Amino acid sequence: MAITEAVENYLETILILSKKQPDVHAIDICSYLGYSRPTVSIILKKMKDEELVTVDSDNHIRLTESGLEVAERIYDRHQILSAFFEMLGVDRDTAAEDACKIEHDISPKTYALLKAHYLKISGKDQEQQNP
């Protein structure tokens, strides 16, 4: 299965939910994304088959190493793009919506340059260098 925008959204959702609660279940994903249980179940099975997630006997969903890598990449893009847009004066909701649209399609090179610029102008590059 190719890592589509939809799969990236599911992986990012699992990451976000896992930061908020100890266990993630399919119903949590349904609630977060507003999708039906059958829709989520189909994608979860595909992601499990592709070893992007694991589901244990208690139906706890966890990201595999490769799933986590994709989820963290998309989550980082979302956070930086949203913050950058807000810095430009875009309201928080619009910034988040626009970041969600762009995070999947922006090239790694363009994103790296945008992130470096954002960190520099926000002063956060200094924070990362001096923990």
Side-chain angles (χ1 to χ4, degrees):
M1 173 172 63
I3 306 292
T4 62
E5 181 177 330
V7 169
E8 288 177 342
N9 280 335
Y10 277 90
L11 294 170
E12 181 183 23
T13 296
I14 294 165
L15 177 64
I16 290 167
L17 291 170
S18 68
K19 290 175 180 280
K20 296 179 180 180
Q21 59 196 56
D23 298 310
V24 176
H25 295 91
I27 194 69
D28 301 319
I29 298 168
C30 294
S31 296
Y32 189 88
L33 293 174
Y35 296 159
S36 70
R37 179 64 193 249
T39 299
V40 171
S41 294
I42 290 167
I43 297 295
L44 281 173
K45 182 183 182 328
K46 289 178 181 178
M47 291 192 311
K48 185 177 171 188
D49 291 346
E50 291 294 320
E51 299 180 353
L52 296 170
V53 299
T54 60
V55 182
D56 68 18
S57 59
D58 292 322
N59 292 314
H60 299 146
I61 301 163
R62 291 186 176 50
L63 297 168
T64 62
E65 189 174 318
S66 58
L68 180 62
E69 183 179 307
V70 173
E72 287 178 335
R73 177 175 49 85
I74 294 301
Y75 184 73
D76 178 67
R77 287 177 173 209
H78 185 89
Q79 296 300 307
I80 295 294
L81 290 167
S82 291
F84 184 71
F85 297 153
E86 285 183 53
M87 181 182 279
L88 295 174
V90 177
D91 67 89
R92 176 169 276 160
D93 290 341
T94 303
E97 288 174 22
D98 289 347
C100 195
K101 294 172 190 170
I102 295 168
E103 66 195 21
H104 305 283
D105 294 323
I106 192 170
S107 73
K109 183 176 182 176
T110 300
Y111 175 70
L113 291 169
L114 188 144
K115 180 178 181 179
H117 180 69
Y118 167 75
L119 294 174
K120 181 178 179 182
I121 64 175
S122 68
K124 295 186 179 183
D125 63 338
Q126 296 300 321
E127 291 174 18
Q128 290 183 350
Q129 293 174 7
N130 302 316

